[in-house]
Amino acid sequence: MSTFSLFPIPTLPHHTSYAPSHTLSLLSPSSMNLLKLHHIPRRLSAVTFRRISISAAAVRQDTNLWSTTPLISVSPEAESLFHISIDVSDYPELASSYTKPGQYLQLRVPNVEKPSFLAIASPPKVAVNKGVFEFLVKSVSGSTAELLCGLNRGDAVELSQVMGNGFDLDQISPAETYQTVVIFATGSGISPIRSLIEAGFGADERSDVRLYYGARNLKRMGYQDRFENWASSGVKVVPVLSQPDNAWKGERGYVQAAFSRAKNIFTPQFTGAVLCGQKQMAEEVTSLLVADGVSTEKILKNF
């Protein structure tokens, strides 16, 4: 019976983008040599994909169901950020199980047991209509995510079932009642926010929808080519740079500080918020919103 590995599988830290955070550690040199010496071809036929999927599930006896799927593309999105597209057309049940922005899954690369937790960046309709999952992945040295970002079109990866409840948009509906929605994202935490905006949550029916998006500098800020479309859908994008160059005229520092300077929440009982990114940011923004009178039930997170 074919399996992914004919030798002991080295472990590797997983990376979160953006689901619950986990500790990262580096691959040992011996593990890296093992991967090089025992490399198994990754470009596989559809039949082989299915056989490997069955074999891997039988050998590992995981509680998760894993689907072996090919990469469509891996391309740079920004410094250290990569756009990853994965073909899930052979798994319609997996594609259709993604129903809400903010949901995520686990991903494994060949010969490495440790998964990455990745929030799905494309809206659910893309999965159903095109059979594609898209991700924005930060390449962290020594992580599974780094190996993923080094793969090529046609290479095989394993996907778990879709996880999480996503953003509970019922808490900030209907749009005519909750006229103000403030959104906060840092780094690759913009992934599920992209899904939220492009899936639609009635932004154009609300009077004040702001996205505070933080990065070190513009080179590290993903999805800049989408900002114009997001704005036309009713979302005001406020880029916030912590280490900008001298030419930068926009907001500086961190998103929580930029929001604190602006505020402008006049009806906190009818205000919602969506957060995804660094833990410190999420905690500080939550404190600011609660102090302004926003209910914690109206502050949405994807985990």
Side-chain angles (χ1 to χ4, degrees):
M1 177 180 291
S2 299
T3 65
F4 261 118
S5 178
L6 303 178
F7 52 92
I9 299 174
T11 59
L12 190 69
H14 48 242
H15 175 66
T16 302
S17 179
Y18 229 101
S21 59
H22 300 270
T23 303
L24 300 174
S25 59
L26 297 176
L27 259 181
S28 67
S30 60
S31 295
M32 290 300 293
N33 290 334
L34 192 62
L35 285 172
K36 293 176 183 177
L37 291 173
H38 298 273
H39 176 72
I40 296 175
R42 296 170 303 204
R43 301 181 188 281
L44 306 170
S45 68
V47 173
T48 307
F49 279 139
R50 295 186 182 94
R51 288 176 180 170
I52 288 178
S53 187
I54 294 170
S55 300
V59 171
R60 289 168 173 151
Q61 296 181 346
D62 289 342
T63 55
N64 276 318
L65 295 177
W66 294 88
S67 303
T68 306
T69 60
L71 294 175
I72 297 173
S73 66
V74 179
S75 59
E77 173 63 32
E79 189 175 297
S80 299
L81 294 176
F82 288 79
H83 176 80
I84 310 285
S85 296
I86 300 178
D87 183 356
V88 293
S89 59
D90 281 346
Y91 300 94
E93 290 185 2
L94 175 63
S96 62
S97 68
Y98 172 40
T99 58
K100 287 186 177 182
Q103 289 182 297
Y104 55 92
L105 49 68
Q106 296 179 73
L107 180 148
R108 293 194 298 209
V109 300
N111 310 319
V112 178
E113 187 71 16
K114 209 77 166 181
S116 279
F117 284 75
L118 302 175
I120 304 171
S122 48
K125 61 187 177 184
V126 172
V128 174
N129 297 336
K130 298 183 178 181
V132 174
F133 282 162
E134 296 177 354
F135 304 89
L136 184 67
V137 180
K138 182 177 181 180
S139 179
V140 176
S141 178
S143 71
T144 299
E146 182 183 37
L147 292 182
L148 170 63
C149 295
L151 296 181
N152 299 299
R153 177 183 175 86
D155 289 346
V157 296
E158 284 186 301
L159 302 181
S160 74
Q161 297 168 296
V162 174
M163 301 175 173
N165 296 320
F167 298 121
D168 186 5
L169 297 178
D170 289 342
Q171 292 290 343
I172 57 173
S173 298
E176 55 265 26
T177 299
Y178 295 92
Q179 284 287 290
T180 299
V181 175
V182 282
I183 307 170
F184 302 86
T186 55
S188 59
I190 196 67
S191 295
I193 301 304
R194 174 199 156 190
S195 177
L196 171 71
I197 295 171
E198 295 181 5
F201 64 104
D204 57 347
E205 301 172 22
R206 305 176 196 260
S207 61
D208 180 15
V209 179
R210 286 170 271 159
L211 165 60
Y212 292 91
Y213 178 18
R216 182 180 299 177
N217 52 53
L218 284 177
K219 292 181 179 179
R220 288 178 172 260
M221 180 167 281
Y223 293 150
Q224 294 180 52
D225 59 336
R226 296 178 178 271
F227 289 177
E228 186 175 345
N229 286 338
W230 292 356
S232 66
S233 72
V235 178
K236 179 184 178 181
V237 181
V238 184
V240 184
L241 305 182
S242 60
Q243 296 179 27
D245 59 29
N246 293 331
W248 177 246
K249 303 300 183 183
E251 291 286 347
R252 295 171 177 260
Y254 297 104
V255 294
Q256 53 269 45
F259 170 67
S260 184
R261 289 191 292 268
K263 285 289 181 71
N264 297 330
I265 293 181
F266 302 111
T267 55
Q269 68 273 29
F270 300 122
T271 295
V274 185
L275 282 63
C276 192
Q278 298 169 344
K279 181 180 179 182
Q280 181 180 351
M281 178 276 288
E283 291 176 347
E284 292 184 9
V285 168
T286 298
S287 295
L288 288 170
L289 291 168
V290 170
D292 280 344
V294 178
S295 168
T296 55
E297 293 181 350
K298 309 302 179 184
I299 303 173
L300 311 184
K301 303 172 185 178
N302 69 325
F303 58 88

